Amino acid sequence: MTLQVLPPELLEGPKDKIETKEPQPYWKPSSLKDGESEEFRLLGCYETGHAIMGWQYASEKRRDNGELGFAGYVVTRTHPGQPDDIARETDWSKPDRPKIDGTFVKPRRFLAWVATSAARARLEVLFIEQKSLREQLTEILQEVEDYTWTEEGLANFSIKISRKGAGLETSYSILPKVRKVPDKIKSTWEKEKDTIWLPNFFEGKDPFDGKQVESKGLPAGGTDKRGAHVNPTTAKKKVEESQAEF
């Protein structure tokens, strides 16, 4: 049995637009402070609807007083260009952080993946906007002989995401470590996997509401026509028994 692990857009180029609110619980690498790190185990994959790629931008709308104000984020499958509701840039050099008319924020590409947190022992959505992290993760996931997956689509390894520096000097890194999947995580995943469906992002719905009956999100199954996929192995390589609950 093989699973399509990587969203094909992670290897190639990216399809429409929907407004969405960020769900809870979710986690972004930018929440780390200098010198901090967090560890996760990836759960599910692109083929099962637990990993997606897309674009996100901040939007603005005119309020009752006639002024433009922040109106949440909009998620799109492909680069949105410069839509009418895209927010203006903020002048961070001034204390009152005024908006700069005539300029607009740049849409940011993201990778979202379901994972379990070592620190909080719960299922979360990793929301990765940093290109450097996506590239590092792509390299790791293509080492299919070293970093394998169970038949259920659970990573036989953890990833430790670290931050170093602040501001323009910020850098991020990922360190993988082979770890056997404990039975507790397997049972939790079996009970909860159907409650999370990341393509809901593209419908403006909460990923934690599960797959919608009339979902128009990315398909859970099949092989992308471009052939951009990774077939993980279920190698019998010895894995670390420590941290049995993670």
Side-chain angles (χ1 to χ4, degrees):
M1 174 183 175
T2 59
L3 292 173
Q4 184 169 337
V5 174
L6 290 177
E9 295 87 349
L10 189 59
L11 298 174
E12 253 186 80
K15 294 179 186 192
D16 19 347
K17 151 184 176 175
I18 315 123
E19 295 186 17
T20 184
K21 293 182 180 179
E22 294 180 330
Q24 292 287 358
Y26 75 100
W27 185 86
K28 294 183 177 181
S30 57
S31 65
L32 293 172
K33 296 179 181 179
D34 181 18
E36 290 185 339
S37 62
E38 287 223 23
E39 193 168 5
F40 301 89
R41 184 189 297 275
L42 300 177
L43 306 175
C45 57
Y46 166 74
E47 185 172 324
T48 63
H50 297 109
I52 61 169
M53 289 283 291
W55 294 82
Q56 177 178 267
Y57 68 87
S59 66
E60 288 183 326
K61 69 178 181 180
R62 202 164 295 281
R63 297 174 176 168
D64 294 339
N65 60 8
E67 295 183 357
L68 287 171
F70 178 67
Y73 291 93
V74 176
V75 166
T76 63
R77 295 183 186 277
T78 57
H79 193 288
Q82 189 174 306
D84 294 338
D85 63 341
I86 194 167
R88 296 160 294 169
E89 289 184 350
T90 299
D91 187 349
W92 296 101
S93 67
K94 297 181 180 180
D96 56 341
R97 306 289 190 261
K99 294 293 183 178
I100 306 173
D101 291 330
T103 64
F104 303 93
V105 297
K106 294 181 179 180
R108 301 192 67 179
R109 201 169 191 192
F110 71 86
L111 165 67
W113 207 307
V114 179
T116 183
S117 160
R120 291 169 292 282
R122 66 179 187 181
L123 301 185
E124 300 183 349
V125 174
L126 303 187
F127 200 86
I128 301 175
E129 297 174 296
Q130 294 82 3
K131 181 180 179 181
S132 62
L133 283 178
R134 294 198 303 270
E135 291 176 343
Q136 291 176 62
L137 184 57
T138 300
E139 290 185 14
I140 291 169
L141 296 181
Q142 291 184 92
E143 295 292 335
V144 296
E145 297 301 322
D146 295 321
Y147 304 110
T148 65
W149 300 74
T150 68
E151 293 289 345
E152 300 82 13
L154 309 181
N156 277 318
F157 57 93
S158 65
I159 54 171
K160 183 178 181 180
I161 301 177
S162 303
R163 174 175 180 167
K164 182 178 180 181
L168 297 177
E169 302 301 319
T170 300
S171 63
Y172 296 91
S173 62
I174 291 182
L175 178 65
K177 190 168 187 177
V178 176
R179 295 188 188 281
K180 181 180 180 180
V181 183
D183 291 338
K184 181 177 181 180
I185 289 182
K186 289 182 179 180
S187 61
T188 298
W189 183 243
E190 187 60 31
K191 294 175 183 176
E192 300 184 23
K193 63 182 179 180
D194 292 334
T195 67
I196 305 177
W197 178 251
L198 295 191
N200 281 352
F201 267 121
F202 299 119
E203 298 294 332
K205 299 172 183 176
D206 190 338
F208 286 89
D209 284 343
K211 185 177 182 179
Q212 306 298 298
V213 175
E214 296 296 328
S215 176
K216 299 177 183 178
L218 301 180
T223 301
D224 187 85
K225 63 183 179 181
R226 294 189 296 271
H229 65 279
V230 170
N231 290 327
T233 60
T234 53
K236 311 231 175 355
K237 179 175 179 174
K238 180 177 174 58
V239 293
E240 186 173 313
E241 297 285 352
S242 62
Q243 290 194 356
E245 294 304 307
F246 182 74

